[in-house]
Amino acid sequence: MLTLAADIEVLARFGRALADPIRCRILLALREAPAHPADLADTLAISRTRLSNHLACLRDCGLVVAVPVGRRTRYELADERLGHALDDLRTAVVAVEADKTCVDADEKDCC
């Protein structure tokens, strides 16, 4: 069981990052390969301003880093283990979603 405040804070930051679908899409895109903001904005079909705000949030959460490349900046996951964690989390969520053992899930809007 997690009891250390630092461990709980790390998981809370990860949860905040994943709470927005655009940030999830950014993380999944960066899981595939590092990218420049302009390319990410085009790939995700969002404005550069909106992307910039989400990248700032992900940087503040410690999940992505900005790497200077000449006059441009490239973004990548802060640690390659985050890519594995995203894969594991996605697999687990899909498995749980497929296992609707709660018969009242649709009616109660839970599970």
Side-chain angles (χ1 to χ4, degrees):
M1 174 167 200
L2 293 176
T3 55
L4 294 174
D7 290 344
I8 294 168
E9 178 58 30
V10 166
L11 287 176
R13 280 196 323 260
F14 193 63
R16 279 193 300 275
L18 294 177
D20 186 279
I22 291 175
R23 289 193 294 271
C24 289
R25 292 173 59 207
I26 293 168
L27 289 170
L28 291 173
L30 293 177
R31 183 183 116 272
E32 295 298 321
H36 296 282
D39 299 331
L40 273 174
D42 291 343
T43 298
L44 301 175
I46 61 174
S47 72
R48 291 182 186 188
T49 301
R50 194 168 187 190
L51 177 74
S52 178
N53 291 334
H54 286 290
L55 285 172
C57 176
L58 292 171
R59 274 194 324 268
D60 291 344
C61 288
L63 299 178
V64 302
V65 293
V67 179
V69 179
R71 293 181 4 201
R72 299 178 70 193
T73 301
R74 183 185 71 221
Y75 281 84
E76 59 189 49
L77 295 178
D79 188 298
E80 69 180 43
R81 291 174 288 190
L82 287 170
H84 299 294
L86 289 167
D87 289 339
D88 291 344
L89 183 59
R90 187 172 49 175
T91 301
V93 169
V94 168
V96 169
E97 179 68 23
D99 182 26
K100 290 283 188 176
T101 56
C102 178
V103 294
D104 298 326
D106 293 332
E107 187 176 298
K108 293 182 179 178
D109 197 29
C110 64
C111 308

